[in-house]
Amino acid sequence: MAGQATRAAIAAQPEWLRQVPDRVGDLRLPEGARVLFTGCGTSFHAALACGPAAHALDLVLGGAADSDVLVAISHEGGTRLTTEAVQAFVGETWLVTGARESNLARLCDRVVVATPKLEKSYCHTASYTCAIAAGRALLGEDVSGLAGLVEDELEAEPLGASRHEHVVVAGAAADVPTALEAVLKLREGAHVAAEAHHTEQLLHGHLAAIDASFRCFVLEGEGRAAERARDVVRALGELGCDTTLVATRHPVVDIVRFQRLAVDLAEARGVDPDLIRWDEEPWDRARRSYD
């Protein structure tokens, strides 16, 4: 079956997440330090879900002001821009990764190996959730219950593959990283034209380019964010969109339904999510043009 590696990694998440507390152990980021997380791609979304974050390129361009500690996230430890960001940072550097030995590991003061092995799929799933769990554990959060919650999510009713050519995922506040990562999984894994929107921004102009051909998911959030999420659902309903309001609880848990949706859509479309088109032309040629 196409996507075996991605499906295996999704299924392995409870087991991998149970190991995170022991992998982090007693390590904690320095108390009172101004901590900044960074990364690229999926790792940047994990950084956003951990705490204050900046993209690695922005740090290279001078965006690390007023930070004492930089926590880089890179599953394989070879990300070019993340390496440059660590090299440019003046201060203590930490790495959350899946590879104990790497270019980044050699540069950083502290290395936390968050996964038992490297993912085989390029459509990263387990490394994303484990990176968030490790980053939050370093900040003092008790992440021991996440494995059970993800296990429950894997048994829940799936969001369901559909024939929609366009997908919107909207969220606000703590749900923004989930919206961004959900869209990345749908794009790289199932080759769907997916868009991530802040719920409030969606209500301020972006609706003009959305119609009944879109499948929409709105992350609920809490408090005022939840009220505005329901406003978005109503607005999308007026446009005739197939819309689901998705309850949220934690970024490690909330992304799982979209990981499952990505592989379900990939299977329905005859797409292999594992290699994210790195084995196809012209996509491989495009990738090699900037490596």
Side-chain angles (χ1 to χ4, degrees):
M1 178 192 297
Q4 285 185 342
T6 308
R7 287 189 180 276
I10 292 171
Q13 287 177 115
E15 177 189 350
W16 286 23
L17 285 164
R18 284 193 180 91
Q19 299 178 35
V20 169
D22 287 337
R23 291 181 172 279
V24 174
D26 295 329
L27 279 177
R28 295 294 181 270
L29 289 160
E31 188 174 351
R34 296 167 297 181
V35 176
L36 186 66
F37 290 84
T38 193
C40 297
T42 286
S43 293
F44 174 57
H45 301 159
L48 285 171
C50 287
H55 196 283
L57 178 56
D58 293 332
L59 296 189
V60 172
L61 296 173
D66 302 324
S67 301
D68 304 313
V69 179
L70 181 66
V71 182
I73 298 176
S74 176
H75 185 48
E76 297 179 8
T79 311
R80 179 178 174 183
L81 261 297
T82 306
T83 301
E84 291 183 28
V86 167
Q87 290 173 321
F89 185 76
V90 179
E92 190 173 342
T93 54
W94 292 51
L95 175 64
V96 174
T97 185
R100 185 168 297 280
E101 300 294 331
S102 69
N103 291 335
L104 269 169
R106 285 186 285 274
L107 289 171
C108 291
D109 299 306
R110 294 271 193 169
V111 177
V112 177
V113 181
T115 61
K117 58 184 177 181
L118 294 176
E119 283 194 60
K120 294 181 180 179
S121 172
Y122 293 142
C123 189
H124 286 171
T125 53
S127 58
Y128 173 76
T129 52
C130 287
I132 297 172
R136 289 188 167 217
L138 290 172
L139 290 169
E141 180 178 323
D142 179 2
V143 299
S144 60
L146 292 176
L149 295 176
V150 168
E151 212 159 37
D152 293 341
E153 192 65 38
L154 289 171
E155 296 296 324
E157 188 71 22
L159 291 174
S162 70
R163 295 183 177 274
H164 295 84
E165 290 300 322
H166 299 91
V167 176
V168 162
V169 184
D175 297 324
V176 167
T178 301
L180 292 170
E181 178 63 10
V183 162
L184 179 56
K185 293 308 102 172
L186 294 171
R187 292 182 69 91
E188 67 182 4
H191 312 168
V192 174
E195 306 171 6
H197 291 283
H198 188 287
T199 51
E200 195 63 24
Q201 290 298 96
L202 191 61
L203 295 172
H204 286 263
H206 290 287
L207 286 174
I210 296 175
D211 56 32
S213 68
F214 283 68
R215 177 79 172 97
C216 302
F217 301 95
V218 182
L219 303 173
E220 186 173 22
E222 299 177 345
R224 188 69 173 119
E227 293 174 5
R228 292 305 267 171
R230 289 188 284 273
D231 289 340
V232 169
V233 170
R234 276 196 301 275
L236 293 170
E238 292 295 331
L239 297 175
C241 298
D242 183 352
T243 305
T244 301
L245 181 65
V246 182
T248 56
R249 57 193 311 174
H250 193 286
V252 166
V253 181
D254 301 337
I255 193 57
V256 174
R257 64 203 72 174
F258 293 102
Q259 295 171 346
R260 296 174 66 196
L261 177 62
V263 292
D264 288 347
L265 279 171
E267 182 176 352
R269 292 164 179 247
V271 169
D272 185 351
D274 291 351
L275 296 178
I276 60 173
R277 278 189 162 169
W278 283 17
D279 59 334
E280 297 180 45
E281 293 295 351
W283 292 274
D284 182 53
R285 190 166 67 250
R287 177 186 61 83
R288 287 185 283 107
S289 74
Y290 59 82
D291 267 2

